[in-house]
Amino acid sequence: MWWAIVLGGGSGKRMQSERNKVLLHLGGESILIRSVRILANHVQGIVVVIRQEDHAEASACLDKLSLGIPCLLTDGGLTRQDSVRCGMQLLPPECTSVLIHDGARCLVDGQTIRNVQASVDVYGTGIASTPVDDTIKVVDADSMVLSTPNRNMLRAVQTPQGFRLDLLVQAHRKAMEDGFVGTDDASLVERMGVPVHLSEGNRTNMKITHPEDMERARFLLDREIRPQFRIGHGYDVHRLVEDRPLILCGVRIPCQLGLLGHSDADVAVHALMDALLGACALGDIGHLFPDNDPAYAGADSMMLLDRVIRLIRTEGWTPANTDLTLIAQKPRLAPFISSMRENLASVMGIPVSCVSVKATTTEHLGFEGRGEGISAHAVVLCQSISGH
Ligand code: MG
């Protein structure tokens, strides 16, 4: 039976934070909670080792998680090694193998954990590790180089570090007897002469230690949780008046009345732009193209659509398809639908078959039915640009 010991006992010193760094939030939850939640998919129980003063906060968050497995809290010791030992005291007799994990490594992935566990099953030990890219120098106290180890023989080790429990208990007992303090649990096993096996880790499994690590972790997390698709909706209304052209989806439609607005009042394109911006959570067109800005007086909305498409592309999104509904009692729009679709497809850079424009009346009901104005609804699906 697998259990995990998650170490959350550190202070915020290196993070220049008043609070325990594992309680800082990242992507809507605390670093500690994210670590626990990921590990919970791979073990039958978890012990969280955390400072006494952080118990209440950690416990409240853990309760909300409904992990479905036991999750116990205990105080940390003075050193990392002491904290692991405190955690081991709470392991139940049925526990045969254990993962030791830094609570601050909340970007750990399932494959890394499975690799560690598979290694423990075969070798009794499994330590997540990655090759080293930098050349490493061994130096003396004056920073004079003593040697340059062969990089191919070096690995950077992370957590989880997995062990057969009897082996880890023995290694900790021996270290305590000898007064030895190691920087990780593997080193305690190594010094007993027991071979320690490394498993394949992941470079993204970083330990959040310094303030700049938070930024990098946020970036990695955003990439990880970024969905493939985003949906957006837009709605707009313009009043019908005399002496104005009627322009819908860039098509000039012969009509005695036209839409009133600061720009060319292309209500359909306005709804579409809002849908695109909405899908990517980039605000709305009122914010992007203010209607009191003279630059947009009489503006061609198709040009503005082009700018919106460029903007969402810089954010890593591209439109996949759109469905637009125009609500107008008159004029009859059916003869212009295919030109409208072609116009939109060309600016959006997608096939005409992915652009739907529909028109409907309201049976003379409401402002559209009385011919006072035209409204438009647009929904759009945006797709993540691969590699962004
Ligand atoms: Mg408008």
Side-chain angles (χ1 to χ4, degrees):
M1 179 194 264
W2 278 97
W3 273 61
I5 296 174
V6 179
L7 303 171
S11 72
K13 237 186 290 168
R14 278 185 289 182
M15 279 299 281
Q16 295 156 24
S17 162
E18 291 289 299
R19 299 180 65 203
N20 183 344
K21 70 180 174 189
V22 297
L23 296 175
L24 299 177
H25 273 231
L26 195 65
E29 62 189 339
S30 74
I31 291 170
L32 176 72
I33 294 302
R34 185 176 164 77
S35 295
V36 168
R37 192 168 50 72
I38 296 169
L39 282 164
N41 295 323
H42 303 267
V43 296
Q44 282 73 55
I46 294 180
V47 177
V48 174
V49 186
I50 196 157
R51 298 186 303 194
Q52 176 73 45
E53 63 256 46
D54 295 326
H55 272 221
E57 187 174 348
S59 161
C61 298
L62 288 166
D63 285 349
K64 278 191 232 147
L65 269 186
S66 356
L67 290 175
I69 57 168
C71 186
L72 315 173
L73 276 186
T74 188
D75 293 349
L78 280 178
T79 64
R80 183 185 192 283
Q81 200 166 309
D82 290 338
S83 292
V84 172
R85 202 162 35 234
C86 295
M88 283 198 293
Q89 283 163 9
L90 265 70
L91 296 175
E94 311 85 75
C95 172
T96 52
S97 303
V98 64
L99 295 174
I100 311 296
H101 189 60
D102 298 323
R105 289 188 194 267
C106 67
L107 295 176
V108 64
D109 59 294
Q111 191 57 55
T112 295
I113 298 170
R114 284 191 295 275
N115 291 346
V116 167
Q117 290 179 316
S119 174
V120 172
D121 287 343
V122 177
Y123 302 99
T125 54
I127 315 295
S129 69
T130 56
V132 174
D133 293 327
D134 295 328
T135 294
I136 306 286
K137 302 282 184 191
V138 178
V139 296
D140 66 13
D142 299 319
S143 294
M144 297 304 286
V145 173
L146 297 174
S147 64
T148 305
N150 178 353
R151 200 168 53 182
N152 294 331
M153 293 185 67
L154 295 175
R155 293 290 180 274
V157 302
Q158 313 174 327
T159 67
Q161 299 199 347
F163 305 91
R164 247 186 20 236
L165 183 59
D166 58 343
L167 188 58
L168 188 66
V169 168
Q170 202 187 339
H172 270 266
R173 192 176 297 139
K174 182 86 172 75
M176 191 144 87
E177 280 167 16
D178 301 345
F180 175 82
V181 179
T183 52
D184 70 348
D185 295 278
S187 60
L188 309 190
V189 176
E190 285 158 44
R191 64 186 292 278
M192 295 201 302
V194 175
V196 168
H197 188 255
L198 303 187
S199 59
E200 193 178 337
N202 191 326
R203 288 180 208 280
T204 59
N205 179 20
M206 60 185 283
K207 186 174 180 182
I208 298 172
T209 309
H210 304 283
E212 59 270 27
D213 296 338
M214 283 296 270
E215 279 312 302
R216 182 161 171 249
R218 257 188 213 109
F219 172 79
L220 291 168
L221 198 58
D222 185 44
R223 199 182 60 172
E224 188 182 308
I225 60 179
R226 185 185 170 104
Q228 286 291 97
F229 295 98
R230 298 274 290 258
I231 194 165
H233 171 257
Y235 172 69
D236 197 23
V237 174
H238 280 262
R239 184 185 293 276
L240 278 166
V241 295
E242 291 182 349
D243 300 324
R244 283 277 298 186
L246 177 60
I247 298 168
L248 295 170
C249 302
V251 178
R252 206 181 175 105
I253 293 160
C255 184
Q256 285 179 336
L257 302 176
L259 293 173
L260 180 64
H262 184 62
S263 65
D264 63 3
D266 190 331
V267 66
V269 174
H270 291 186
L272 175 58
M273 288 193 284
D274 264 351
L276 288 160
L277 293 168
C280 307
L282 291 171
D284 59 30
I285 53 170
H287 172 76
L288 211 60
F289 312 119
D291 64 6
N292 55 6
D293 185 336
Y296 304 115
D300 175 356
S301 295
M302 295 299 282
M303 300 275 287
L304 303 182
L305 175 62
D306 183 58
R307 284 179 51 184
V308 167
I309 297 287
R310 285 170 201 273
L311 174 67
I312 68 164
R313 281 184 188 279
T314 62
E315 295 290 322
W317 300 103
T318 186
N321 80 303
T322 185
D323 183 19
L324 223 142
T325 303
L326 279 158
I327 303 160
Q329 196 62 45
K330 56 184 183 181
R332 212 171 95 76
L333 297 173
F336 307 99
I337 296 287
S338 66
S339 308
M340 292 181 187
R341 291 175 63 203
E342 276 166 30
N343 272 359
L344 297 180
S346 132
V347 174
M348 294 171 82
I350 56 176
V352 178
S353 60
C354 295
V355 177
S356 159
V357 178
K358 312 192 296 295
T360 185
T361 70
T362 59
E363 301 286 332
H364 299 281
L365 294 169
F367 68 85
E368 300 103 325
R370 291 190 297 272
E372 294 167 11
I374 293 179
S375 65
H377 287 271
V379 286
V380 66
L381 191 69
C382 286
Q383 192 170 356
S384 180
I385 298 170
S386 60
H388 190 86

